[in-house]
Amino acid sequence: MRWIFLDDPGAGGLTAVHSYFDRSPYVEQDERGVASYVEQHRTLGDRIRELVDAGFRLVDLVEPEWPAGHRETWGQWSPLRGRLFPGTAIFVTEKPADT
């Protein structure tokens, strides 16, 4: 979900500016125009389908809450943003022996 917001840990980063369904890659290029950093957004549904298609069984989806008392900002994540929505999704899976 964080892809819909700007990389701003302050109040300006709490306004949705992109579609959650836009799967266009985020690409940074070096001085020669060569991709030096790429991020690929997928929806939660996309990720679950990828896991299931690979033969995994989803056991749990953990979205950690911002730790109480944690006041540091890391990249776009801050206490302001972190208390409103998760920045991490942990897909707990298992792969049956017969796949």
Side-chain angles (χ1 to χ4, degrees):
M1 207 172 96
R2 65 187 178 98
W3 280 69
I4 68 175
F5 302 101
L6 296 175
D7 285 345
D8 177 353
L14 298 178
T15 301
V17 296
H18 303 287
S19 170
Y20 173 73
F21 301 103
D22 181 0
R23 293 161 177 89
S24 303
Y26 169 79
V27 181
E28 293 179 5
Q29 299 176 335
D30 65 15
E31 62 281 348
R32 295 170 293 153
V34 176
S36 58
Y37 180 80
V38 178
E39 289 184 13
Q40 298 285 337
H41 167 67
R42 298 293 181 265
T43 67
L44 284 174
D46 291 339
R47 292 295 181 205
I48 290 169
R49 282 185 294 282
E50 291 168 350
L51 291 165
V52 171
D53 288 348
F56 289 93
R57 184 176 75 81
L58 183 64
V59 175
D60 197 4
L61 173 58
V62 180
E63 299 170 285
E65 292 186 45
W66 190 262
H70 185 68
R71 291 180 172 70
E72 292 182 38
T73 296
W74 178 76
Q76 65 190 17
W77 292 101
S78 64
L80 173 66
R81 185 177 254 195
R83 72 182 154 96
L84 297 175
F85 61 94
T88 301
I90 302 169
F91 298 86
V92 181
T93 64
E94 58 187 25
K95 192 154 187 176
D98 61 335
T99 59

